[in-house]
Amino acid sequence: MRTKPGPSRYAHLSLLSLLLAPVTFAGSGECVDPTDPACRPQSGWTLCRAPLASPVTRPTAEERLRAELLIDAGRAEYFAGTRAELGDGFQMTRLDQVLQADRGSYDSDSGTFHAVGDVYYREAGVALTGTELELAIESGAGRVEATRYALVEQHARGSADRATWNGAGDAALERATYTTCDPGDGSWLLSASRIDLDFDEGLGEAEQAVLRLKGVPVLYTPWIQFPIDDRRRSGLLMPSIGNSKNNGFELAVPWYWNIAPNRDATITPRLLSKRGLQLATEYRYLYQSDDNPASRQEGLVDFEILPGDDIYGDDRLGLRVVHEGRPWVGWQVGVDAGVVSDKDYLRDLGGDLAATNTNYVDRRGYVSVTRSDWAFLGQVNYLQPLVEFQPYQALPQLLFDYTPYTEGPIRYGLDSELVHYDRSTLAGGFVPVTGTRFDLKPWLSAPVDRSWGYLDPRLAVRYTGYALDDQFAASDSRPGRTLPQATLDGGLFFDRSAFGGRFRQTLEPRFYYLYTPYEDQDDLVRNSNGQSVVFDSTLPLFEWSSLFRDNRFSGADRVGDANQVSLAVSSRMVDDDSGVEHARFDLGQTLYFRDREVTLPGQPVETESSSPIIGRIRASLDHNVGVSGSLTWNPHTEHTDLGTLSLSYQPDLVRLLHLTYRNNGDDIEQTDFGISWPLGAQWQGVGRWVYSLRDKTNLETFAGFEYKSCCWAARLVLREFVRDTLFPDDKELAVMFQLELSGLARIGDDITGFLSGTLPGYTKPRL
């Protein structure tokens, strides 16, 4: 029978049902689970093996009421114009709704279906079977007895003695089970006296719940709340458990507070058996203006405290504040500032405050403005040292660059800096020199660009002046320096067809000439002992970019004298069709026409006639194999200053293999081997081995495995590592374990996060 929407409250039945052929149900011979859509009319989804390509679309109640209602039955009896008895198998369809049963009835006055026998019901996102069902057409509420159900968006299924739902996003399951595993897979199962599902909030709650792994009960709780979608919500997160030589047994139980859509906090008590109880909190926020879409403010506040550390013997705490903002177009403001109670805090406790550089804790605040022809940056940088050396602090530093667009052959610009340097009193009461430095460099160039090459001559004048605070300085309180500079940068482009026209090989020679006259700069800043002082200048490691710098020193306290030319050549192999670069080779060296007499305090004059030779190579073979290497070789000492060689093989996101060799010619000679490789259909092995050839010891070694299926994963990693490279024999052993139950919880250490940060190329898996 077929009904169409009309002016009445409910659709009415037609006597056409008497003429329709009986409905045919799909056979069950190949079905693993009665709720599997393959057993019933096709729905286009399965639980785990075929993840959804797009979210489920649910019609509204109004759309369903306006839609055509179709009932097919092997036998139908019509009573009093409002009730129909359906037998010999019947099927109801309306939009996304499908109801099948051996027999039942439909009352158009109350708008309810009653079905008994082999009952199957499906609507968008839900499929279930049972022995008896009642369904209210208008409200969408229903009840089913002895049910087995499947939730497509949650990739979940289970059973219940009775399931009821109100049509408004709430469902209740009595004496029920819940899992995200495939039919026939009993890897994990949550059973409870009652399970409530709130689809509007994305939450599930279970009473008198037992968690079983492979049928073995491992956890009981009188009440548990778990997510059934990816939305944020307040509540306890799964604990992390670990053990280390430094801290002993560790247990962290985080509580997440979803304060507002744009604000949240995580409060984590952390028990360290050897030290005590630590409390860590993290607060995050994000603000975006409706009136100004470009305006965005976000940040976080981390605070950690460990009262009365049993090993350290005192209170220990750490604080970090991070803020990034874009109040207007082209504007950026930010803060990244931290403080720790003692120099060993990051080494001992780490946590969210841990940084890659454990010698200092950053305290930086900045504001920047960028326009089409100029840029401004103002910042303060006040480091907290965790070592004996006390650095100069930039309080504040202002930088302004001006490069206007010009249509003529002449271009010009200005680079400038104003910075005040401060420093705390050193050991023994020694008062260091402090003061303000102003650096100004206007420049003029006349570049010529052609398809076959380019030439860029440039002239500049660099003035650096100081206003030193009078604190026992032996030098003039207003010293200054003015130096002209001249550079000439040029290159040519050649190319040819290679390998039968598939590739284009380029040859790109380049030269860079630099001239800066000599001026003695040792007297610019001196301390009370008559020693020359620099605020921030250093001599960076010689690398490829050093060939084309206009000052061999970083910072403005030293401008190196120069009469030199850098010669370099590059060659690239480019796919002619796709434009992808498959290989590149670089080779370069600087030739000096005179000694470099400007030096850092205490350093000798550089007299070599040429720099080290730098070579680099990078190649990818059939998109899976990569080779890269670099070599800095000093021809005067016949010594390798720095050398690296890396081989990698990564045909997909699962298989990864890399080997790296590093040698700085002095105190570092290391090998680094990493692997991530499948050990079967569901097993994955990971490992890394960093070995110091100089010290003949392992710096870091870890090995582990991962087992993952459709609905759960387990990961175990054993790790031994050196905490401080200055003490290579001081090693720590850590055991990390993680259990992930898809759609329910993740228990233990964040192993996937650890591997993402330590194993190059590793990709976090998804269940």
Side-chain angles (χ1 to χ4, degrees):
M1 60 187 68
R2 185 184 306 270
T3 68
K4 296 183 179 180
S8 61
R9 186 178 180 189
Y10 299 105
H12 292 280
L13 296 178
S14 167
L15 293 178
L16 289 175
S17 60
L18 301 175
L19 305 176
L20 296 177
V23 65
T24 301
F25 292 93
S28 59
E30 298 180 357
C31 297
V32 178
D33 180 34
T35 58
D36 191 326
C39 306
R40 307 288 182 171
Q42 292 298 312
S43 63
W45 56 268
T46 60
L47 283 179
C48 295
R49 301 307 181 194
L52 287 177
S54 59
V56 172
T57 301
R58 291 181 174 84
T60 65
E62 292 77 11
E63 289 173 335
R64 282 177 175 169
L65 287 175
R66 290 195 302 266
E68 182 180 59
L69 179 68
L70 174 65
I71 301 175
D72 292 344
R75 178 178 56 82
E77 296 182 29
Y78 193 68
F79 298 97
T82 61
R83 178 179 175 82
E85 292 289 339
L86 309 172
D88 295 341
F90 79 91
Q91 174 174 302
M92 179 277 291
T93 59
R94 185 179 67 170
L95 288 184
D96 62 313
Q97 294 174 300
V98 176
L99 171 61
Q100 296 175 347
D102 291 339
R103 62 188 185 279
S105 64
Y106 173 65
D107 190 330
S108 62
D109 190 32
S110 62
T112 58
F113 270 98
H114 180 260
V116 294
D118 184 12
V119 177
Y120 171 79
Y121 175 70
R122 187 188 78 232
E123 63 180 52
V126 178
L128 51 84
T129 64
T131 59
E132 181 181 359
L133 176 141
E134 287 187 2
L135 179 67
I137 289 295
E138 182 178 18
S139 66
R143 172 185 62 85
V144 65
E145 302 291 334
T147 182
R148 301 179 72 177
Y149 66 90
L151 307 176
V152 56
E153 289 178 297
Q154 291 73 28
H155 298 285
R157 63 178 181 87
S159 63
D161 287 357
R162 172 179 291 176
T164 59
W165 61 97
N166 61 6
D170 296 323
L173 310 173
E174 298 179 16
R175 291 179 294 279
T177 63
Y178 180 89
T179 184
T180 58
C181 296
D182 269 347
D185 184 351
S187 297
W188 72 268
L189 185 74
L190 184 72
S191 59
S193 62
R194 179 183 174 93
I195 296 178
D196 292 319
L197 302 176
D198 187 339
F199 294 98
D200 289 338
E201 294 295 329
L203 280 175
E205 293 183 359
E207 299 175 3
Q208 306 298 324
V210 176
L211 176 64
R212 288 178 169 85
L213 302 180
K214 292 294 185 180
V216 179
V218 296
L219 176 66
Y220 165 79
T221 177
W223 178 86
I224 186 174
Q225 188 178 74
F226 55 93
I228 58 176
D229 60 24
D230 295 331
R231 281 179 288 177
R232 304 181 327 181
R233 55 190 57 84
S234 299
L236 284 174
L237 304 179
M238 282 297 172
S240 62
I241 303 171
N243 187 76
S244 66
K245 173 184 174 183
N246 191 44
N247 297 325
F249 174 76
E250 298 185 26
L251 173 63
V253 184
W255 182 74
Y256 179 78
W257 182 14
N258 185 27
I259 303 172
N262 64 326
R263 292 178 290 133
D264 64 13
T266 305
I267 303 171
T268 308
R270 180 187 179 196
L271 175 64
L272 310 172
S273 63
K274 291 186 178 182
R275 297 184 180 274
L277 182 63
Q278 182 189 42
L279 180 65
T281 62
E282 180 190 66
Y283 170 74
R284 302 187 302 176
Y285 59 88
L286 171 63
Y287 294 96
Q288 189 145 5
S289 172
D290 295 333
D291 299 331
N292 182 11
S295 176
R296 181 183 177 94
Q297 312 286 331
E298 61 182 309
L300 62 87
V301 179
D302 281 337
F303 177 70
E304 302 172 354
I305 183 170
L306 175 59
D309 188 325
D310 293 338
I311 297 178
Y312 188 76
D314 201 352
D315 297 343
R316 310 184 76 180
L317 59 87
L319 173 67
R320 186 186 181 198
V321 178
V322 178
H323 175 80
E324 294 180 0
R326 294 176 176 86
W328 304 284
V329 175
W331 285 71
Q332 291 189 33
V333 296
V335 174
D336 188 347
V339 62
V340 294
S341 57
D342 56 87
K343 64 182 181 63
D344 295 320
Y345 184 90
L346 296 181
R347 172 178 171 173
D348 292 343
L349 300 176
D352 291 335
L353 299 176
T356 55
N357 182 1
T358 56
N359 292 328
Y360 305 96
V361 176
D362 287 332
R363 299 172 184 172
R364 179 175 179 257
Y366 68 91
V367 56
S368 70
V369 185
T370 303
R371 293 292 184 263
S372 59
D373 55 358
W374 61 269
F376 168 80
L377 172 64
Q379 64 179 358
V380 294
N381 200 3
Y382 187 64
L383 301 173
Q384 179 187 2
L386 304 181
V387 291
E388 294 300 325
F389 177 74
Q390 301 289 322
Y392 274 102
Q393 315 282 7
L395 304 170
Q397 182 183 31
L398 308 176
L399 297 101
F400 179 79
D401 296 334
Y402 177 62
T403 310
Y405 173 76
T406 58
E407 295 183 354
I410 305 299
R411 297 180 183 176
Y412 60 92
L414 174 68
D415 303 331
S416 62
E417 178 193 47
L418 178 66
V419 56
H420 178 76
Y421 284 105
D422 201 356
R423 193 177 187 183
S424 58
T425 301
L426 303 180
F430 177 74
V431 179
V433 180
T434 61
T436 301
R437 186 185 70 201
F438 177 62
D439 188 53
L440 188 69
K441 187 175 77 171
W443 55 266
L444 189 71
S445 72
V448 177
D449 290 302
R450 297 291 185 269
S451 60
W452 45 266
Y454 68 94
L455 188 66
D456 185 8
R458 178 173 299 205
L459 297 175
V461 176
R462 188 166 189 175
Y463 168 78
T464 307
Y466 296 83
L468 302 176
D469 302 327
D470 181 74
Q471 63 302 80
F472 317 108
S475 60
D476 182 7
S477 62
R478 296 291 186 271
R481 175 196 62 213
T482 302
L483 285 171
Q485 281 188 329
T487 62
L488 182 62
D489 190 5
L492 297 173
F493 303 119
F494 303 95
D495 66 75
R496 67 171 185 174
S497 179
F499 295 97
R502 179 184 174 187
F503 294 97
R504 186 176 73 257
Q505 182 184 11
T506 70
L507 183 65
E508 305 169 32
R510 179 182 179 183
F511 69 92
Y512 179 81
Y513 177 76
L514 170 65
Y515 177 79
T516 306
Y518 167 76
E519 181 175 324
D520 187 359
Q521 300 165 43
D522 289 341
D523 290 334
L524 285 175
V525 181
R526 290 185 178 272
N527 59 26
S528 58
N529 294 330
Q531 299 170 326
S532 182
V533 174
V534 294
F535 290 137
D536 66 348
S537 282
T538 61
L539 191 61
L541 182 70
F542 193 82
E543 54 186 5
W544 182 259
S545 62
S546 303
L547 297 173
F548 313 107
R549 290 167 54 98
D550 62 2
N551 185 15
R552 66 178 179 273
F553 298 100
S554 64
D557 294 314
R558 291 290 186 269
V559 175
D561 54 321
N563 185 9
Q564 63 191 51
V565 62
S566 296
L567 302 177
V569 63
S570 299
S571 180
R572 298 180 296 132
M573 193 71 69
V574 182
D575 190 305
D576 234 358
D577 295 330
S578 65
V580 175
E581 182 180 284
H582 285 269
R584 181 186 181 99
F585 173 76
D586 301 305
L587 184 67
Q589 185 183 30
T590 299
L591 305 178
Y592 303 114
F593 303 128
R594 71 179 213 189
D595 297 341
R596 279 78 62 216
E597 300 182 65
V598 177
T599 64
L600 294 174
Q603 298 298 313
V605 172
E606 298 181 11
T607 60
E608 292 87 354
S609 59
S610 61
S611 73
I613 300 173
I614 297 181
R616 303 187 307 178
I617 187 172
R618 183 177 67 249
S620 60
L621 309 177
D622 68 10
H623 306 289
N624 297 332
V625 180
V627 180
S628 64
S630 65
L631 180 67
T632 304
W633 186 73
N634 193 325
H636 306 287
T637 61
E638 298 185 352
H639 184 268
T640 299
D641 292 342
L642 180 65
T644 63
L645 178 63
S646 296
L647 303 175
S648 65
Y649 175 68
Q650 189 169 8
D652 48 47
L653 295 178
V654 178
R655 292 177 290 175
L656 163 69
L657 185 68
H658 80 81
L659 176 63
T660 301
Y661 171 81
R662 290 183 291 267
N663 184 356
N664 72 348
D666 187 13
D667 57 346
I668 295 178
E669 187 177 7
Q670 301 172 358
T671 57
D672 185 347
F673 173 75
I675 186 172
S676 174
W677 206 263
L679 304 176
Q682 296 173 297
W683 291 85
Q684 180 88 0
V686 295
R688 189 182 185 191
W689 177 29
V690 182
Y691 182 75
S692 173
L693 299 171
R694 284 280 191 271
D695 301 315
K696 294 182 173 57
T697 187
N698 297 324
L699 299 179
E700 180 174 28
T701 306
F702 68 76
F705 69 87
E706 172 189 75
Y707 174 86
K708 67 175 183 288
S709 69
C710 162
C711 60
W712 72 284
R715 304 175 182 95
L716 176 67
V717 170
L718 303 179
R719 182 190 182 206
E720 184 184 58
F721 61 101
V722 174
R723 298 183 58 86
D724 191 334
T725 55
L726 296 177
F727 306 97
D729 294 330
D730 182 15
K731 299 179 181 179
E732 176 145 355
L733 178 65
V735 180
M736 295 179 286
F737 177 75
Q738 183 182 51
L739 177 64
E740 183 174 354
L741 307 179
S742 177
L744 186 67
R746 180 180 294 172
I747 307 170
D749 298 291
D750 184 11
I751 293 181
T752 55
F754 163 75
L755 293 175
S756 297
T758 57
L759 189 60
Y762 177 83
T763 302
K764 184 178 291 190
R766 297 182 61 186
L767 288 181

